[in-house]
Amino acid sequence: MNPPQAKASLAELARCVRVQEGEQQDRLELASAWARQPQDASGRTVGLIAAGLSGLLIMLLLLQAAMARTMPTLVLALLALSAALFFCWHFRGWFWRTEVDVDAVRVRLAMLGWGVPRPVELPIADIEALAYRMEQGRLAVLSLRHRGGELPIPFSGQRELDKLYCNILLHLLQKRRPEISFAAASETT
């Protein structure tokens, strides 16, 4: 059984979701996983300490390699720098923001950040539904069902934030095309 979780405050939710409504275009932005963590979260503190110590260690190794001019020290410094770059590339998704732009013609899904996939655009006339699937009371799948298939939409995994995100996204979609429904996704999605 899952332990009960405290309800998120409106200020916490507002920090994670940004909405811009306009006559021509609407935009919904979901903050990155890193930005969604509370300022005093232990994972955030550990990440900052690890990044700081790693950076300091790499700089000291590079300084030692430059001063000593020995091959083993230079190789060790380059290996440490390579490992740091690998971890930065591997965890880059923690810093991506999700942006959904909706206008009268299209819906554009983009990730903002370093090393992101290309943006995807769908004609709004092709979209049939905003599909979802719940598992154990949490959102498990969120996608735009369209004539050509389904486009997965990233979400936070936080119950109340996902409720707010889904409702705002559905509102923005139905504002431009009222025929778009909110439907349960199939189990194979």
Side-chain angles (χ1 to χ4, degrees):
M1 186 166 159
N2 293 338
Q5 293 183 348
K7 299 248 182 207
S9 72
L10 189 56
E12 290 170 348
L13 295 175
R15 188 173 57 85
C16 300
V17 176
R18 188 168 63 200
V19 182
Q20 297 172 352
E21 279 192 279
E23 292 296 319
Q24 304 297 321
Q25 182 178 8
D26 302 319
R27 176 172 289 160
L28 174 62
E29 187 175 309
L30 179 65
S32 68
W34 181 261
R36 287 191 307 261
Q37 289 186 359
Q39 293 292 78
D40 59 348
S42 62
R44 189 180 191 103
T45 305
V46 168
L48 289 172
I49 291 170
L53 288 176
S54 298
L56 180 65
L57 179 63
I58 290 168
M59 293 304 295
L60 289 174
L61 282 171
L62 288 172
L63 182 65
Q64 177 66 25
M67 290 175 56
R69 296 176 194 251
T70 62
M71 188 55 81
T73 309
L74 181 61
V75 168
L76 185 62
L78 290 176
L79 282 175
L81 184 60
S82 298
L85 290 174
F86 169 77
F87 282 111
C88 286
W89 183 256
H90 183 71
F91 290 110
R92 72 193 186 281
W94 271 64
F95 302 97
W96 291 352
R97 295 184 326 260
T98 304
E99 184 178 86
V100 181
D101 291 322
V102 182
D103 61 30
V105 177
R106 64 169 175 80
V107 173
R108 180 178 180 267
L109 172 66
M111 305 297 281
L112 306 174
W114 180 54
V116 297
R118 295 181 61 120
V120 177
E121 291 187 7
L122 287 174
I124 198 160
D126 289 352
I127 297 173
E128 299 165 357
L130 179 62
Y132 70 94
R133 187 173 76 233
M134 304 291 286
E135 288 179 3
Q136 299 177 350
R138 292 191 175 277
L139 187 64
V141 173
L142 182 64
S143 63
L144 286 175
R145 189 179 305 152
H146 57 92
R147 289 187 187 137
E150 291 196 23
L151 174 66
I153 305 283
F155 55 93
S156 71
Q158 299 170 359
R159 182 181 309 208
E160 293 181 13
L161 181 58
D162 288 338
K163 283 182 192 177
L164 177 65
Y165 183 64
C166 285
N167 286 329
I168 292 172
L169 182 56
L170 182 63
H171 167 75
L172 296 178
L173 291 168
Q174 288 180 338
K175 176 181 166 185
R176 302 294 176 181
R177 186 165 179 254
E179 299 86 20
I180 295 174
S181 64
F182 192 52
S186 66
E187 290 295 319
T188 59
T189 306

